Amino acid sequence: MSVHFGDFSDFSDWDFRQLHPAYDDLAAAQDRIRDARRRDASPTAEDLQALMRACWQRINELRHPQNPGGDRLYVLAFEGPHPYVKVGRSTDLELKSRLVKHEHDAAIQFSILFDAWVSESCPDAYPWEQRVLARLDTVVAASPHVTKMFEEYYYGLPFRQAVLAAEMEQDL
């Protein structure tokens, strides 16, 4: 439903991504999975495969650093019976195998990789990761809807909020 300010609509019910040329395969696949969830239906195998393909396409675009040889911070969103976000770090060389392992672990829980954010390479991502986890722990403490499992897994945490925390804690 649109909200009107005098004669002007705020267009809050429009999905402008679909009108933009940058509306990509990943966004379209995510929308189809979300739509299936809203209808309480299982997504089709084709939609799941399209989502995984598009997500890995994005990861492959992000994982080639401008300055290789360092560490990377990543935020991964997994969709399934219990959606969660995983925050972690890896070296440039181990990044792909680390993400594949997380994807495999998620599949055991009937979850799939839904979205991903990968930082540029930096000399040491450990302090950055610790600051991000500390910031996200404040969200857990303040919200009854977000829980933390183990060190880096957050249930009920929106992916964009975790990415925002990573961007806010980045050393400039």
Side-chain angles (χ1 to χ4, degrees):
M1 180 171 104
S2 291
V3 176
H4 294 276
F5 297 98
D7 294 334
F8 303 101
S9 172
D10 73 351
F11 304 105
S12 62
D13 57 335
W14 287 21
D15 186 354
F16 286 100
R17 293 176 311 153
Q18 295 182 12
L19 301 175
H20 193 277
Y23 182 72
D24 61 1
D25 293 339
L26 179 57
Q30 289 170 331
D31 287 346
R32 288 192 303 274
I33 299 297
R34 285 185 189 110
D35 182 55
R37 186 175 4 133
R38 276 191 293 274
R39 292 182 287 112
D40 200 24
S42 294
T44 66
E46 294 82 15
D47 285 344
L48 291 173
Q49 290 169 352
L51 176 69
M52 289 186 289
R53 222 179 9 258
C55 203
W56 273 102
Q57 180 180 350
R58 177 174 289 174
I59 289 170
N60 286 328
E61 291 168 1
L62 295 172
R63 75 180 182 94
H64 298 294
Q66 294 174 352
N67 303 312
D71 280 355
R72 308 289 285 280
L73 189 69
Y74 57 84
V75 178
L76 307 175
F78 292 92
E79 184 66 32
H82 304 286
Y84 64 94
V85 172
K86 165 76 169 94
V87 177
R89 67 184 170 88
S90 176
T91 64
D92 285 333
L93 297 175
E94 297 173 338
L95 181 64
K96 184 173 182 180
S97 63
R98 177 75 59 101
L99 299 183
V100 168
K101 181 183 181 330
H102 290 311
E103 189 176 41
H104 177 265
D105 292 347
I108 292 170
Q109 301 177 42
F110 302 101
S111 296
I112 58 168
L113 185 59
F114 191 76
D115 211 342
W117 175 89
V118 180
S119 74
E120 264 301 321
S121 189
C122 65
D124 182 10
Y126 180 76
W128 183 11
E129 176 191 36
Q130 295 308 302
R131 290 190 309 272
V132 172
L133 295 174
R135 181 175 289 272
L136 294 178
D137 287 349
T138 64
V139 174
V140 172
S143 174
H145 305 290
V146 179
T147 57
K148 181 177 181 178
M149 300 298 282
F150 306 110
E151 290 293 314
E152 303 163 340
Y153 295 84
Y154 295 88
Y155 291 83
L157 179 71
F159 173 72
R160 292 284 164 222
Q161 190 169 6
V163 170
L164 179 62
E167 291 172 341
M168 290 173 66
E169 292 299 333
Q170 182 175 6
D171 286 333
L172 299 177

